[in-house]
Amino acid sequence: MTPRLTGHAGKATRPAPAEFDRRLIPPMLFGSVLNPVNSSMIAVALVPIGVAFGAPPAETAWLVSALYLATAVGQPVIGRLVDMYGPRRLYLAGTALVGVAGLLGALAPSLAALVAARVLLGFGTSAAYPAAMRLIRGEAERTGQDGPAGVLAALAVANQTVAVVGPALGGLLIGLGGWRAVFTVNVPLSAVCLVLGTLRLPRSGTRRRAVDLPGMALFTLLLVALMLFLMQPRADRWWLPVLSAVAAAGFAVRELRVPDPFIDLRVLGGNGPQLATYLRQLLAYTTSYAFMYGYPQWLEQGRGLGASTAGLVLLPLSVSALIVSSLTGRREAVRGKLIVGSALQVAGCALLLLVRADSAPWLLLAVGTLLGIPQGLIGLATQNALYRQADPERIASAAGLLRTFSYLGALGASAATAGFYPHRADTAGLHSLALFMLAGSVLLLATTLPDRSLGRLGTTTPLTIGKA
């Protein structure tokens, strides 16, 4: 794109600031929604899949867990490859894998084959978000402008929107073509991403660099062992956290010795603000997922609502999150968003302690509405903070690791929900869960208030989105 010249005749002219290439936005958005659409659509397909294969809920739950496991590992690993070889190749390879996984799921003869397809989906959908972060960083370097709040907000809003409509879309697809349509839809989605990626993503030069395969393998082992334990934390599974700790020690030794590590622990260890952002992501998403897992169960079992009515009660959560993201997305204001978001999360958890089986409907709706606002603020804030804090040469792997902490929060929330609802989702269990969420929210606020470095983020020139 040729810079435009500005100025009047007879006066010195200067090139106008270059603009963000809008041609990159469609492949970025389409690619980034592949993960949330597959995460949310499966919710309405678990029952018909269980009926088709005669599988109980404990087995069909692996269709959810498999995607979490693969994505938690895949995002930082593929992100590192994006940093090394450029976004185009990994984006195209990942979105192609999504299409293959969709076909395998549509033709799967057994539940085990479906789980394998979900694993492939997890890895395939892990490429787009790190690739998008690398593209944004590349455009900032090309244009000389470094304020991508609007582009980052578009990614967040697109992901939240798809997560909201995913269950409805899944239900429509099942009504039209059975549960296999939930997998088949990935084929046209993959094709759209492949066409857009091929036509619009820039080519990157080849850089011959050694891939830290042992480091990636040790990271995978420590993460998978930890997540498997969090999925079912029992005393007889003690060996899983031990295995994770051993793998973590080996990973640390490896990464501190290798010249070009998968995760540079020396740099990351000295980057306190980035580590704090990962901690905030973990705390925020643990509370968020605990509410999304625990509240609907209580609405159905503790309050006695039907599944469809419980879903409607949760609708304000998604609506308020989307509205807040849309209204505040173009302003980075990292510290302000984190403080307001964490304070409202504290208030929402406290309000949840007032909920009873005979509470008025307006209170049930108010809790969801209030807790939706932090979802719209904190996710944007941590994403923007990471963009500023991470090493530019490792932005994709850093972004992938941010997503990993989200999934760790989800699994921790799932374990907490199971622990507080040992037999059924009663009001006493809901209040215990609310106290757990409240503790995490208070800790989130406590890690944000004294961090003055957050106020200095996002003070550079905005990254203008111009025409192609």
Side-chain angles (χ1 to χ4, degrees):
M1 180 170 59
T2 304
R4 298 191 305 270
L5 297 180
T6 60
H8 300 287
K11 294 184 178 181
T13 60
R14 59 183 177 84
E19 297 172 333
F20 188 97
D21 188 351
R22 289 196 306 182
R23 293 176 301 176
L24 302 178
I25 295 178
M28 287 167 53
L29 294 183
F30 271 97
S32 68
V33 302
L34 291 175
N35 189 272
V37 76
N38 279 287
S39 297
S40 56
M41 282 194 306
I42 197 67
V44 295
L46 294 177
V47 171
I49 289 173
V51 172
F53 293 114
E59 293 182 10
T60 57
W62 274 102
L63 294 170
V64 177
S65 302
L67 189 76
Y68 274 148
L69 282 167
T71 310
V73 172
Q75 292 251 5
V77 170
I78 296 176
R80 180 59 184 145
L81 298 177
V82 169
D83 285 327
M84 296 174 68
Y85 301 109
R88 179 188 171 92
R89 299 173 191 174
L90 275 302
Y91 178 97
L92 293 176
T95 51
L97 186 59
V98 169
V100 173
L103 284 175
L104 291 177
L107 301 174
S110 65
L111 182 62
L114 270 186
V115 172
R118 291 283 289 179
V119 171
L120 291 179
L121 272 175
F123 284 119
T125 60
S126 292
Y129 180 69
M133 293 293 278
R134 167 54 65 181
L135 286 166
I136 294 170
R137 171 62 70 179
E139 283 298 281
E141 293 171 354
R142 181 184 67 81
T143 61
Q145 303 175 68
D146 197 26
V151 186
L152 292 174
L155 288 176
V157 171
N159 279 255
Q160 289 174 346
T161 302
V162 169
V164 171
V165 303
L169 175 61
L172 176 63
L173 290 171
I174 292 171
L176 293 175
W179 63 263
R180 292 184 186 274
V182 170
F183 289 85
T184 308
V185 73
N186 285 290
V187 178
L189 289 175
S190 170
V192 170
C193 290
L194 285 172
V195 171
L196 289 173
T198 300
L199 295 177
R200 298 190 172 190
L201 296 187
R203 297 182 181 275
S204 303
T206 301
R207 291 178 287 176
R208 294 185 177 275
R209 300 171 65 178
V211 178
D212 182 18
L213 292 178
M216 291 179 176
L218 287 167
F219 174 81
T220 300
L221 180 60
L222 80 87
L223 195 59
V224 169
L226 176 62
M227 295 183 76
L228 287 174
F229 178 75
L230 289 175
M231 286 162 58
Q232 292 181 319
R234 301 195 311 263
D236 61 344
R237 294 162 65 87
W238 61 267
W239 57 274
L240 283 171
V242 172
L243 177 61
S244 181
V246 171
F251 175 72
V253 171
R254 165 72 187 182
E255 300 306 275
L256 290 173
R257 290 182 178 179
V258 69
D260 192 11
F262 162 47
I263 296 177
D264 195 334
L265 296 181
R266 287 162 294 204
V267 173
L268 183 60
N271 191 341
Q274 185 177 341
L275 292 174
T277 293
Y278 287 143
L279 174 61
R280 294 184 188 108
Q281 184 86 343
L282 175 65
L283 293 171
Y285 277 81
T286 299
T287 296
S288 175
Y289 278 108
F291 181 74
M292 286 192 289
Y293 292 153
Y295 195 51
Q297 292 184 57
W298 176 82
L299 287 172
E300 294 182 46
Q301 296 182 347
R303 176 62 184 235
L305 300 181
S308 58
T309 306
L312 290 175
V313 172
L314 280 179
L315 187 59
L317 175 82
S318 303
V319 172
S320 62
L322 283 172
I323 291 174
V324 169
S325 296
S326 301
L327 293 178
T328 66
R330 288 189 172 276
R331 291 181 56 85
E332 293 196 42
V334 171
R335 187 168 185 267
K337 287 179 180 177
L338 285 172
I339 290 176
V340 173
S342 55
L344 289 177
Q345 204 170 69
V346 169
C349 295
L351 186 62
L352 192 59
L353 290 170
L354 302 179
V355 170
R356 300 287 189 276
D358 58 350
S359 294
W362 68 263
L363 180 59
L364 305 183
L365 294 169
V367 171
T369 303
L370 183 58
L371 284 173
I373 298 174
Q375 286 192 24
L377 292 173
I378 297 174
L380 279 172
T382 54
Q383 182 178 247
N384 286 327
L386 182 84
Y387 178 84
R388 301 293 183 188
Q389 296 162 343
D391 177 2
E393 291 298 315
R394 291 175 174 266
I395 184 63
S397 55
L401 198 55
L402 185 71
R403 288 289 181 93
T404 297
F405 278 92
S406 302
Y407 298 125
L408 287 174
L411 290 176
S414 178
T417 303
F420 292 122
Y421 294 159
H423 305 295
R424 64 187 301 273
D426 56 17
T427 301
L430 176 68
H431 289 167
S432 297
L433 184 64
L435 288 173
F436 168 79
M437 295 162 55
L438 182 62
S441 300
V442 169
L443 184 56
L444 174 63
L445 182 60
T447 62
T448 302
L449 282 173
D451 191 348
R452 298 292 177 181
S453 68
L454 295 171
R456 297 189 293 271
L457 299 178
T459 58
T460 52
T461 307
L463 186 62
T464 306
I465 303 177
K467 294 182 179 181

